[in-house]
Amino acid sequence: MDPQNNMENEAKMFLSHAKTLRLHTGNIVNRSRLKKKCPCSPSEELQDCIQAALSDWKAATKPPSNDFPDTLDCSIPQPTDAIPPEEREELRVSVKLFLCEAGESSIRDAVEMACQTLAVSQLDSVIIAPTWPLAEGENQSLAHLQPAWEELESLVRSQRIAAIGTSDLDKDLLEQLYTWAQVKPSSNQVNLASCCVMPPDLTAFAKEFDIQLLTHNDPKELMSAATFQEAVQEGTQDLSAAIWRLEWVLRYSIIVKSRGIIKAKGYLVSAGKESQ
């Protein structure tokens, strides 16, 4: 049998048996593996990263030693991903977690995967971005945030995370969260595409309570279900792949504290199989 066809068949078998797919793109600061070498939107970058990672995984696929796993790890380990212990104090690990579905277990799973992948015991900061769709006419409220925030607080208490922050909260919702939370938000990201100037009331509140205001350019929906499925199909060349449902996306940046430069950046992704 043609070795190429054999690897593709084995990759399809893995995908057909798995119930959960986990993916690590590796460090993308060096974009040599990606199709688009120039800067692009966060959504395009993620799609390109998923395709490249799955393509690399498919090329390295080998038959399982025992049964096919329920959780399929589609990562290609790279020596540069893990942080050496002697360099840890010099580096800051910042994370933004996009939750595509409600579920506190996803937060713990994402944080644990990040710590294992980067070989660290603690993430310096985690910003949470709930992106799951709300009911028509419903706006994000404190009740939507509370379960996820409580899980983040638990991870702070267990020293898995040092500081936690939010994304795209207006002054009223940020104040509600700050008043209710036991572990206060240390930062709040603002999308300058929809707000070219920081709202004065938000700026005043953040200054009073020592909350750092950051900017970002992430779209409200980082990746649609259709785009994710397209990326999986493109990366595996398996047009008959089962429909995969994006659960969460974690983007990490490893920053050299003394110089403020990004040493490494990458994505971790989790998806579940749609019930048949």
Side-chain angles (χ1 to χ4, degrees):
M1 180 182 290
D2 180 359
Q4 182 66 27
N5 289 336
N6 193 33
M7 283 191 294
E8 289 189 2
N9 289 334
E10 287 162 359
K12 290 176 183 178
M13 289 292 287
F14 272 106
L15 287 166
S16 67
H17 283 82
K19 297 177 182 177
T20 303
L21 184 151
R22 295 285 169 85
L23 177 71
H24 176 215
T25 63
N27 182 10
I28 63 168
V29 169
N30 178 358
R31 302 178 61 87
S32 60
R33 293 166 54 243
L34 304 182
K35 291 180 181 177
K36 299 173 182 175
K37 305 300 187 296
C38 59
C40 51
S41 73
S43 297
E44 291 173 329
E45 179 180 75
L46 177 58
Q47 183 178 8
D48 203 14
C49 286
I50 290 172
Q51 291 176 3
L54 284 172
S55 180
D56 288 351
W57 166 78
K58 184 186 70 172
T61 299
K62 297 178 182 178
S65 54
N66 297 306
D67 297 329
F68 286 94
D70 285 343
T71 299
L72 184 57
D73 183 359
C74 296
S75 305
I76 304 296
Q78 297 182 15
T80 57
D81 294 333
I83 297 176
E86 63 272 16
E87 294 182 19
R88 181 64 183 95
E89 287 300 312
E90 303 168 9
L91 303 172
R92 175 179 172 82
V93 182
S94 297
V95 158
K96 185 170 183 179
L97 177 57
F98 302 86
L99 293 175
C100 307
E101 297 180 347
E104 297 76 69
S105 62
S106 294
I107 298 172
R108 186 167 294 273
D109 288 346
V111 169
E112 290 300 327
M113 186 175 174
C115 287
Q116 291 173 16
T117 300
L118 303 176
V120 297
S121 61
Q122 185 184 63
L123 305 176
D124 293 295
S125 68
V126 173
I127 288 174
I128 193 167
T131 61
W132 61 81
L134 301 176
E136 187 175 353
E138 188 179 19
N139 294 320
Q140 191 180 75
S141 68
L142 180 61
H144 293 123
L145 292 172
Q146 284 173 327
W149 196 259
E150 287 176 331
E151 185 63 28
L152 287 174
E153 290 180 325
S154 173
L155 289 163
V156 171
R157 284 190 287 269
S158 64
Q159 299 186 337
R160 270 319 211 188
I161 305 173
I164 49 180
T166 56
S167 181
D168 298 315
L169 300 194
D170 60 20
K171 183 264 181 182
D172 290 342
L173 189 49
L174 182 61
E175 183 175 8
Q176 290 174 37
L177 176 63
Y178 188 92
T179 302
W180 166 82
Q182 293 185 25
V183 179
K184 308 300 184 182
S186 64
S187 62
N188 180 48
Q189 283 192 334
V190 178
N191 191 333
L192 289 185
S194 59
C195 172
C196 57
V197 178
M198 289 283 186
D201 60 345
L202 178 62
T203 302
F205 179 80
K207 183 177 181 180
E208 181 180 357
F209 292 97
D210 196 25
I211 300 172
Q212 187 178 15
L213 292 182
L214 308 169
T215 60
H216 75 95
N217 66 337
D218 297 310
K220 190 168 184 179
E221 183 180 48
L222 184 63
M223 175 168 278
S224 69
T227 302
F228 177 68
Q229 179 62 16
E230 180 185 331
V232 173
Q233 292 177 344
E234 180 73 23
T236 61
Q237 296 298 308
D238 182 7
L239 297 179
S240 63
I243 300 299
W244 289 96
R245 184 188 72 254
L246 192 59
E247 296 173 334
W248 52 262
V249 175
L250 182 151
R251 183 176 65 215
Y252 64 85
S253 297
I254 300 174
I255 301 160
V256 181
K257 292 179 182 178
S258 61
R259 301 167 63 192
I261 62 170
I262 296 177
K263 179 179 180 180
K265 173 185 172 184
Y267 292 90
L268 302 175
V269 177
S270 180
K273 185 174 289 184
E274 294 281 8
S275 56
Q276 300 297 302

